[in-house]
Amino acid sequence: NSAHPTSAAMPKIVIVGGGYSGITTAKGLAGKDRDVTLVSSTPYLEWGIAASYSLTHPEELHKAVAGKIDPPKGVNLVIGTAVSMTDTEVLLDNQQVLPYDALVIATGLNI
């Protein structure tokens, strides 16, 4: 069963999505004898509602970025986009392969 690690090593958890849900999930899992990796398409936390509003109010575009993602201690931040997944691995657009024992998909909504 791919949901359970088969070795004595720390279970690998990959979280796909660097938005509020992904970061909150990573924070909750960090530091609990788990190898946690957070995958985000950008190094910045974006606020989708502000981005949409800035389409008609370009002077407000600066509000669409809430800041640089600062992952919780014990969380590996990987910049990339998941392009495919198997029962045990996530493949990113940069050809990086992330093996996992548990996968969280927290991609949210892209406006």
Side-chain angles (χ1 to χ4, degrees), residues 37-42 76-81 92 94 96 98:
T37 299
L38 176 65
V39 178
S40 178
S41 60
T42 69
N76 305 307
L77 175 63
V78 174
I79 304 303
T81 300
L92 302 182
N94 62 7
Q96 187 174 1
L98 302 175

Side-chain angles (χ1 to χ4, degrees), residues 36-95:
V36 180
T37 299
L38 176 65
V39 178
S40 178
S41 60
T42 69
Y44 298 96
L45 182 60
E46 298 171 335
W47 189 30
I49 294 169
S52 296
Y53 182 76
S54 70
L55 291 173
T56 57
H57 298 85
E59 69 280 3
E60 300 293 323
L61 181 60
H62 67 282
K63 293 180 180 177
V65 177
K68 190 170 184 181
I69 295 175
D70 184 19
K73 183 178 180 181
V75 175
N76 305 307
L77 175 63
V78 174
I79 304 303
T81 300
V83 293
S84 70
M85 298 171 201
T86 69
D87 288 343
T88 59
E89 296 177 331
V90 174
L91 175 64
L92 302 182
D93 57 348
N94 62 7
Q95 303 306 308

Side-chain angles (χ1 to χ4, degrees), residues 93-111:
D93 57 348
N94 62 7
Q95 303 306 308
Q96 187 174 1
V97 176
L98 302 175
Y100 67 84
D101 297 303
L103 175 64
V104 177
I105 300 175
T107 52
L109 174 67
N110 192 359
I111 299 174

